[in-house]
Amino acid sequence: MITSGIDKDGESLRLLVAQALRSYPTESIHPFLEDKNVLVRSAAAREVQIRGEFVSFQYAIGLLQDKRAYVREIGVFILGQHGTPTYPYKAESIALISERLTSDKSSAVRAAAAASLGHLRAYEAIEFLIEAASDTSADVRGCVAFALNGMKRRIRAREVLRTLRKDENGEVRFWADE
C-alpha cells in the first residue's frame, strides 16, 4: 500500500509506472522505450534490463540506429545493464557501446555510453574511455571518470583520473575523485 501520497519529484509516478510495466509481456514494453517522456522510457528500460531477454537485447541494438538521440541514448543505457547481474551479452554490448562512445554526434549518447561501459566494468574498452576523457562535453568526461573509477587497477585509468581531477568542471572532478 502506498501511503506517502503524491510527491513533487514524481517518485510516486515512477513507482506506479514501474509496477505497471512488470505485468506487461516483454514485447509490449518495447514501444515504451521510445516514449518522449524520460520517466516512461527509463522505467521501461529498467524492466527489460532486469528481464535480460534476447529479444530485448536485439531491440536495444536496433535503437542504436535511430535518428533520435534520446532513443539511441536509451539503447546504450539498456545494453549497459542488460541481464543484470550476469550480463549474458556483455561482449557484444561492449563493442556496440564503444562504437557509440567514439562516433555518436550526441553528447548525451556518448555520456550514456561511457557510463554503460563503467557499469559493465569493460576493461576491453579502456582505450576508448581514455580517448573520451578529452571530449568537449563535461557530461561525457564526468561519465568517463565514473567508468574509470571502477577500473582503478589499471595504471592508465589512474593516470587519466589524476588528469580529470583537475578538470574545469566540478562534476567531472567529483566523479574523478570518487
Side-chain angles (χ1 to χ4, degrees):
M1 183 167 142
I2 300 173
T3 58
S4 63
I6 297 174
D7 59 74
K8 65 179 183 227
D9 295 326
E11 290 304 315
S12 298
L13 185 56
R14 282 181 180 76
L15 176 65
L16 292 171
V17 169
Q19 286 177 336
L21 288 171
R22 286 188 201 124
S23 67
Y24 280 59
T26 300
E27 289 83 359
S28 296
I29 296 173
H30 290 163
F32 292 111
L33 296 168
E34 299 180 45
D35 197 281
K36 289 182 180 181
N37 185 302
V38 67
L39 186 149
V40 172
R41 69 177 178 270
S42 60
R46 285 186 195 95
E47 184 61 29
V48 299
Q49 285 173 329
I50 290 166
R51 293 182 188 192
E53 297 169 357
F54 184 68
V55 67
S56 294
F57 172 70
Q58 289 180 306
Y59 195 86
I61 291 171
L63 296 177
L64 300 180
Q65 304 308 317
D66 198 278
K67 64 182 179 186
R68 297 166 292 178
Y70 71 89
V71 174
R72 294 192 310 277
E73 180 183 3
I74 206 72
V76 166
F77 176 78
I78 292 166
L79 294 177
Q81 296 181 64
H82 191 74
T84 300
T86 60
Y87 307 117
Y89 313 106
K90 182 177 178 179
E92 300 95 326
S93 293
I94 290 171
L96 294 163
I97 295 167
S98 296
E99 183 180 331
R100 290 290 107 204
L101 176 63
T102 60
S103 68
D104 206 282
K105 62 185 179 254
S106 167
S107 62
V109 175
R110 295 192 312 274
S116 291
L117 291 170
H119 284 292
L120 291 170
R121 297 287 191 261
Y123 288 99
E124 308 90 318
I126 198 166
E127 292 304 318
F128 296 117
L129 288 163
I130 289 170
E131 182 181 323
S134 60
D135 196 283
T136 57
S137 167
D139 289 338
V140 174
R141 295 192 310 275
C143 289
V144 165
F146 160 79
L148 291 176
N149 254 311
M151 303 177 192
K152 288 183 194 176
R153 290 184 282 155
R154 301 287 167 94
I155 292 170
R156 296 268 293 137
R158 289 194 306 262
E159 290 171 356
V160 174
L161 284 168
R162 274 194 291 277
T163 300
L164 291 173
R165 284 185 194 113
K166 300 172 190 165
D167 195 273
E168 63 188 32
N169 184 279
E171 255 189 75
V172 174
R173 292 191 307 270
F174 170 80
W175 287 109
D177 255 351
E178 252 323 277

